[in-house]
Amino acid sequence: MNAIFTAVFVASAIAICICSPNSFLTALLNGAMNAAKTGLTLFCVYCVWMGISAVAEDAGINATIARFLQPACKKVFRCDDAEASLNIAMNLSCNLLGIGGAATPFAVKAVNALEKDGNVFAQNLLFIVNATSIQIIPTTVIALRAAAGSANAGDITLPSLLATLVSTGLAVTLYFIVSRRSA
Amino acid sequence: MAFVIPIIFIIIIVIATIKKVNVFSSFTRGAQDGLKFTLSLIPLLATIFMMCELFEVSGLSSAMSKALSPVFGFFKIPEELSKLILIKPFSGSGSLSYLTEIIETYGADSYTGRCACVLYGSSETVFYIFAVYFANTKKGKRIVPIIIILFSTFISTVFACFICRFI
């Protein structure tokens, strides 16, 4: 990330010096402003989902679900840790339900729990699954199309699903091949 | 489908009440975790978004998408989508504004518009997810997963533009 950030930042800054030096600071401030706005939106999503998840945790529901999912997690993610498996499961279910924003905190918890065991394989696999998008119904896009007066706003659901299956399937397969070779 | 989420909430709260859990204080504790998490996220977001904004304003992003459009043309991807494809791995809000623009210009039911929708719905903000997930981890070999993801996303992009002709 460091390399990408530095390269893009410096290249853009040089380009802006040549074209329109005035807009440099405005651009940076706008970026930070966007971050603040996005942060506020995300905070609302996290409040709802982490709130209800804390209730479930205190009621012992999470532990029960985790016990059910642990065998599968162990097989696919090679992960023994109960906390990590639970958070992986929560992350995947949020993604499938189409509440992608709520999936992030669970993934971060899972990655941090996996860090304790040094389970880089599971961390990367979780990253791959999330970064190739496993949404079943693309709700945002459908809403946008409906607002733009589409005759059939939902007709992109099937192609989207197929495309996302291709990317996730291909990425996971490739990762399994690569990690088997190096293991 | 819409009733699934409220039902999940009801079941959780009912079970918690039966088990004599203080629902209100548990919920508050969860929300507090949410706040902590958001606070740890905002500096990251700010840094990434500044980079994206700079990339955009400097004109580098349009220059790059212009340079790459013959490549996209070779794979039968409409050239109008090159900007969306390039910005999507970096910024969700940026790509959403391009998607809106494409839908407004070409219409939601046009081939280009539908391709854009499928692309947007079937890909993710890879670098943003990367930065957030691994903010608290030590350096590891992460370059391989990123290459795999970008490659798979590109293949699925080609595939999406292809099937949009038929479905």
Side-chain angles (χ1 to χ4, degrees):
Chain A
M1 198 62 208
N2 181 31
I4 298 168
F5 178 79
T6 316
V8 175
F9 197 96
V10 172
S12 309
I14 291 171
I16 233 172
C17 266
I18 300 164
C19 307
S20 54
N22 291 329
S23 49
F24 181 71
L25 258 185
T26 332
L28 290 185
L29 288 172
N30 272 343
M33 178 78 90
N34 278 343
K37 280 184 200 153
T38 315
L40 204 59
T41 321
L42 288 176
F43 171 62
C44 306
V45 180
Y46 297 157
C47 265
V48 173
W49 290 102
M50 291 177 86
I52 196 72
S53 148
V55 176
E57 192 186 323
D58 291 345
I61 301 172
N62 285 1
T64 319
I65 299 174
R67 216 173 304 134
F68 261 103
L69 292 166
Q70 208 146 4
C73 267
K74 196 174 173 181
K75 217 166 191 178
V76 180
F77 285 89
R78 302 180 195 164
C79 150
D80 285 318
D81 190 62
E83 193 197 339
S85 339
L86 174 73
N87 283 310
I88 290 174
M90 297 290 266
N91 168 266
L92 297 182
S93 1
C94 283
N95 273 318
L96 290 175
L97 282 172
I99 31 180
T104 316
F106 296 117
V108 173
K109 275 188 188 173
V111 166
N112 290 341
L114 291 166
E115 180 76 3
K116 274 179 268 165
D117 305 336
N119 193 339
V120 178
F121 172 81
Q123 286 178 335
N124 286 347
L125 188 57
L126 188 67
F127 168 50
I128 286 177
V129 171
N130 274 279
T132 50
S133 158
I134 45 169
Q135 204 174 35
I136 293 181
I137 300 169
T139 37
T140 320
V141 178
I142 294 180
L144 206 69
R145 286 167 59 80
S150 162
N152 188 356
D155 77 339
I156 46 108
T157 308
L158 184 62
S160 299
L161 185 62
L162 291 175
T164 194
L165 283 178
V166 167
S167 65
T168 309
L170 182 63
V172 170
T173 317
L174 283 176
Y175 186 59
F176 267 99
I177 294 171
V178 169
S179 60
R180 185 154 303 169
R181 194 165 283 174
S182 63
Chain B
M1 271 308 274
F3 52 82
V4 175
I5 290 170
I7 286 180
I8 295 174
F9 275 60
I10 294 167
I11 293 174
I12 290 173
I13 291 177
V14 167
I15 295 179
T17 316
I18 294 170
K19 292 200 171 170
K20 299 200 172 61
V21 171
N22 187 335
V23 176
F24 179 74
S25 71
S26 292
F27 206 107
T28 317
R29 185 175 59 80
Q32 205 159 27
D33 286 346
L35 178 62
K36 273 187 215 149
F37 183 66
T38 319
L39 283 180
S40 70
L41 209 57
I42 288 182
L44 262 174
L45 286 177
T47 319
I48 298 173
F49 284 9
M50 278 189 235
M51 177 191 84
C52 294
E53 192 79 20
L54 214 55
F55 186 51
E56 189 57 56
V57 173
S58 66
L60 272 190
S61 100
S62 21
M64 236 174 115
S65 54
K66 213 168 275 168
L68 280 173
S69 51
V71 181
F72 288 138
F74 177 75
F75 288 100
K76 305 253 184 289
I77 302 171
E79 282 178 22
E80 301 84 358
L81 301 179
S82 52
K83 234 176 167 182
L84 176 70
I85 296 169
L86 275 182
I87 208 76
K88 180 79 204 205
F90 293 97
S91 147
S93 53
S95 53
L96 188 62
S97 69
Y98 279 134
L99 177 65
T100 322
E101 203 181 292
I102 290 173
I103 290 181
E104 274 167 11
T105 320
Y106 300 95
D109 292 321
S110 67
Y111 172 65
T112 313
R114 294 182 69 232
C115 274
C117 288
V118 173
L119 291 186
Y120 183 88
S122 63
S123 61
E124 274 293 342
T125 48
V126 179
F127 291 103
Y128 165 71
I129 294 180
F130 176 74
V132 172
Y133 279 23
F134 298 124
N136 295 321
T137 58
K138 273 182 270 148
K139 265 191 195 168
K141 280 184 185 166
R142 313 283 186 200
I143 192 79
V144 173
I146 291 192
I147 292 172
I148 290 179
I149 291 166
L150 291 177
F151 174 73
S152 309
T153 307
F154 183 71
I155 296 294
S156 90
T157 302
V158 176
F159 176 71
C161 291
F162 178 71
I163 53 172
C164 269
R165 292 170 198 271
F166 306 107
I167 307 180

